[in-house]
Amino acid sequence: NAGVTQTPKFRVLKTGQSMTLLCAQDMNHEYMYWYRQDPGMGLRLIHYSVGEGTTAKGEVPDGYNVSRLKKQNFLLGLESAAPSQTSVYFCASSYRVGSRNTIYFGEGSWLTVV
Amino acid sequence: LAKTTQPISMDSYEGQEVNITCSHNNIATNDYITWYQQFPSQGPRFIIQGYKTKVTNEVASLFIPADRKSSTLSLPRVSLSDTAVYYCLVGGAGGFKTIFGAGTRLFVKA
């Protein structure tokens, strides 16, 4: 019963390096999301997707890119990492029945940019 | 996009009932209200969801008045393990954008 799986769980990057966070869900959900959470703060939406091949910007999209080539996967890329991107990243997926939306989260990916 | 307002933090003692109220004055007709719980170093998890009146499950109850401009999450007889951040979300939030607020930090003391 995997649900939403994120890899890697921990990563340290140097400023200017690039990396990709992978999110996979096995619940056949249409909708997927990437959030970031800074210490002591709430979740902020980076990008989201309403279906395979689609992506859209959230609250804080700058410095990130995403792709949803397969329904079950949602990738978050950092092209040139900055210390301000040090955060915990959560991937989520959801299904909707009418206007009822239920979101399932992964366990998080801890990213440190030095 | 329905904006929500919750208390920043609450304290309680073990065994007490805790009620966390969320205000959502501009809730849309079709919006549902959903509450999530987040423990430190974990992703949020779904607790309860409702549209009107009262919903109860094994974890909590959700009370929604007739005007639906607010909702109250009720946690019966809390324990130390209920210490967490609780988020109130309304609707699918502007289509599919799902925006979380700052949440309410509940601290349960022995």
Side-chain angles (χ1 to χ4, degrees):
Chain A
N1 220 14
V4 179
T5 304
Q6 297 180 225
T7 53
K9 193 165 178 66
F10 301 97
R11 183 77 187 267
V12 178
L13 281 179
K14 293 183 179 178
T15 298
Q17 285 186 319
S18 63
M19 77 158 295
T20 300
L21 295 175
L22 172 63
C23 177
Q25 54 97 0
D26 61 2
M27 296 174 282
N28 201 34
H29 287 168
E30 287 294 330
Y31 316 114
M32 296 189 73
Y33 315 81
W34 275 106
Y35 292 88
R36 63 175 287 175
Q37 187 172 39
D38 299 328
M41 305 293 286
L43 295 136
R44 291 187 291 170
L45 181 64
I46 305 171
H47 286 281
Y48 64 102
S49 168
V50 301
E52 183 178 316
T54 73
T55 62
K57 295 180 180 179
E59 301 173 89
V60 289
D62 294 342
Y64 305 95
N65 56 74
V66 288
S67 64
R68 183 111 182 258
L69 299 180
K70 294 183 179 181
K71 184 178 184 179
Q72 65 267 34
N73 295 336
F74 195 29
L75 278 62
L76 178 71
L78 286 72
E79 291 185 347
S80 180
S84 60
Q85 294 178 303
T86 294
S87 191
V88 182
Y89 292 85
F90 289 102
C91 178
S93 69
S94 73
Y95 67 91
R96 291 168 68 97
V97 177
S99 58
R100 186 193 290 255
N101 189 27
T102 306
I103 306 170
Y104 296 83
F105 283 84
E107 290 301 307
S109 295
W110 274 252
L111 175 65
T112 301
V113 183
V114 297
Chain B
L1 182 62
K3 177 177 166 49
T4 60
T5 303
Q6 305 173 230
I8 294 174
S9 65
M10 296 179 68
D11 288 346
S12 182
Y13 288 93
E14 281 191 295
Q16 288 188 332
E17 178 184 75
V18 171
N19 295 309
I20 305 173
T21 297
C22 179
S23 296
H24 28 81
N25 290 322
N26 58 341
I27 187 170
T29 302
N30 295 330
D31 284 345
Y32 276 79
I33 300 154
T34 310
W35 285 80
Y36 293 83
Q37 175 190 55
Q38 185 180 26
F39 297 115
S41 301
Q42 294 186 24
R45 69 173 186 132
F46 171 90
I47 303 177
I48 197 166
Q49 185 178 72
Y51 183 79
K52 62 180 179 181
T53 61
K54 177 184 175 182
V55 179
T56 297
N57 62 22
E58 65 279 4
V59 176
S61 294
L62 178 60
F63 298 92
I64 304 168
D67 66 6
R68 302 198 333 117
K69 294 183 182 299
S70 67
S71 58
T72 299
L73 174 72
S74 181
L75 304 172
R77 298 179 298 282
V78 294
S79 64
L80 297 175
S81 62
D82 291 315
T83 293
V85 179
Y86 293 83
Y87 296 96
C88 162
L89 264 74
V90 173
F96 300 100
K97 259 187 188 180
T98 303
I99 307 292
F100 282 73
T104 299
R105 290 187 178 277
L106 172 65
F107 185 66
V108 180
K109 307 173 196 176

